[in-house]
Amino acid sequence: MDGGNSPPGFPHPHPTDSYSQLPPHAIATHRTTPQLPTSTTFDSRAPPPRAPRAATTAPAARDGGLRFKRHHDAFGEDEALRLERMEEEAVRDITAAFVRAHAVDCDVRDVETAEVVLAGAEWAAALAVQRFRDEVQQRRPGVRARMPLDVRHGADARAYMGVPYIVGAVTYPAHTQNPYRLVCRMLELSLTRGLNLQTNTLATKIGKAGAGWEVETDRGTVRARRVVLATNGYINALHAGLAASKFLVPTRSQIAAIRPGKTIDGNPGLRRSISVEDMATGDYFMSRPPGIKGEGDVLYGGGKNLSETGERNTTDDSVVHADIANYLKHAAVGVFEREQWGDERPCGQRLDWHCGVHA
């Protein structure tokens, strides 16, 4: 696809088609009122208008504890513990409390997630992080996460994961879902409570206006007492202070949906969500579980090191990086080996490419 024109740092009006967003949801282009409201209050009667383009996805987070030391060094012990607990509770609350309470049709399934390591030195470092995490949590039982971690070594890890050459794996319980359908359902429920949803409306500037705020958009200006910035990788274009802090760096990620090889069926690795922690390409993958759309498709992401910029500081998700796309098409063969993966099926490997922007 061609990139087209869009202001630097802002969402592109024509992003790549997403595997999880086809077909588009009924509210993808919804506007509660034909005209953009000029003012709003932040309460249940008239929530602020939102959505810079079509109703879209929310990112998924994963962390089996290997990031704990980085969080600890960057933000301190208290914040590292809070972050880990927050991520755990967010997954539990969204899946158990919200999705099941509201019977949201978003393909929620329980799945075991794994972070696997290929090299001995990196595995030793990962184990050191685990020991450090355990020591901190034993000292701080009141705020520690409750997610159980299972550590497997050597041949046991390889047999359990079905991935050759790994020297270790950390596994933990998680969930898979379609975030697009989850977010759209949240918006539907919010509409019944008075939300004024304005999709395809680009916020271009946010600034103080007396005791409140003004949000300039490509369709007019909205005034509000409060504004919630939930734009993730696009936030730097709206808030100069956050941009100057360099706390959030927009990064483009690319994912391919591929068909598995002829002989990989039944491999335990395809029953899990896996990230290969010490691959320079940052690979991660999972297979779509039985009973949902795309059953058996392998969603494979990574390859950022093939970009000169590492795909950092870009918000243009209307284009596919050709080198990364070619890598993702065949990367699973390198992880599982050709003998296990098998030859391509008659329908071919490539199904879909998708780019996304996050921070």
Side-chain angles (χ1 to χ4, degrees):
M1 295 183 183
D2 293 326
N5 296 317
S6 63
F10 289 95
H12 196 280
H14 304 293
T16 56
D17 291 331
S18 171
Y19 180 88
S20 64
Q21 296 181 33
L22 297 174
H25 194 278
I27 66 167
T29 57
H30 176 89
R31 288 181 177 174
T32 303
T33 55
Q35 302 299 318
L36 185 72
T38 57
S39 64
T40 182
T41 55
F42 194 77
D43 57 38
S44 60
R45 293 184 297 278
R50 58 189 69 185
R53 43 188 197 192
T56 187
T57 61
R62 56 177 298 137
D63 183 13
L66 299 184
R67 290 187 297 172
F68 181 80
K69 184 64 163 59
R70 294 197 295 271
H71 288 164
H72 184 281
D73 293 346
F75 309 119
E77 183 170 292
D78 289 346
E79 288 302 309
L81 288 166
R82 289 192 187 102
L83 281 168
E84 188 171 52
R85 186 66 176 268
M86 178 191 70
E87 291 179 343
E88 176 185 315
E89 291 177 348
V91 170
R92 184 187 67 238
D93 291 345
I94 288 176
T95 302
F98 184 84
V99 171
R100 288 168 181 154
H102 295 278
V104 181
D105 181 15
C106 60
D107 297 335
V108 167
R109 299 288 191 279
D110 295 335
V111 63
E112 186 176 51
T113 292
E115 295 172 358
V116 303
V117 177
L118 296 170
E122 282 73 10
W123 181 236
L127 293 176
V129 170
Q130 290 295 332
R131 289 192 295 270
F132 176 77
R133 174 183 180 270
D134 291 344
E135 290 169 2
V136 172
Q137 291 202 344
Q138 287 173 6
R139 287 191 288 102
R140 305 287 300 278
V143 293
R144 70 184 182 188
R146 291 168 291 183
M147 178 178 62
L149 302 181
D150 188 12
V151 179
R152 296 177 181 271
H153 306 265
D156 178 44
R158 292 188 287 274
Y160 186 75
M161 300 305 305
V163 180
Y165 302 126
I166 63 173
V167 296
V170 178
T171 62
Y172 51 96
H175 312 277
T176 180
Q177 63 176 316
N178 183 315
Y180 173 65
R181 283 158 60 181
L182 170 63
V183 171
C184 285
R185 182 56 180 157
M186 289 178 172
L187 291 174
E188 283 184 318
L189 292 170
S190 298
L191 287 169
T192 67
R193 291 162 172 78
L195 173 70
N196 188 321
L197 177 64
Q198 298 286 331
T199 62
N200 296 306
T201 302
L202 180 67
T204 58
K205 185 178 180 181
I206 295 176
K208 288 290 291 181
W213 296 83
E214 282 188 347
V215 180
E216 296 182 15
T217 81
D218 58 355
R219 297 174 55 219
T221 300
V222 180
R223 295 170 181 83
R225 290 189 292 114
R226 300 182 182 91
V227 174
V228 177
L229 291 175
T231 52
N232 200 0
Y234 303 107
I235 203 167
N236 290 342
L238 291 173
H239 197 291
L242 281 172
S245 73
K246 299 182 180 180
F247 179 73
L248 296 175
V249 178
T251 305
R252 181 172 58 192
S253 294
Q254 196 161 310
I255 300 173
I258 59 177
R259 294 299 298 167
K262 290 183 177 180
T263 57
I264 195 68
D265 291 349
N267 185 287
L270 297 186
R271 298 196 299 267
R272 299 179 173 88
S273 170
I274 297 177
S275 66
V276 187
E277 292 297 300
D278 53 342
M279 286 184 71
T281 45
D283 288 17
Y284 57 95
F285 59 91
M286 67 170 296
S287 179
R288 297 283 285 168
I292 64 175
K293 179 184 175 182
E295 176 181 340
D297 292 351
V298 177
L299 307 184
Y300 202 105
K304 289 181 182 178
N305 68 324
L306 300 176
S307 165
E308 291 183 0
T309 64
E311 297 295 84
R312 294 166 63 87
N313 289 306
T314 180
T315 58
D316 185 358
D317 57 356
S318 70
V319 294
V320 168
H321 191 290
D323 291 339
I324 295 177
N326 185 62
Y327 169 78
L328 294 178
K329 183 177 179 180
H330 304 287
V333 177
V335 172
F336 287 100
E337 290 193 316
R338 174 62 72 184
E339 183 178 352
Q340 281 197 109
W341 183 259
D343 296 330
E344 293 184 5
R345 296 179 188 267
C347 62
Q349 290 278 84
R350 180 183 181 278
L351 290 181
D352 176 80
W353 308 118
H354 173 58
C355 290
V357 174
H358 58 91

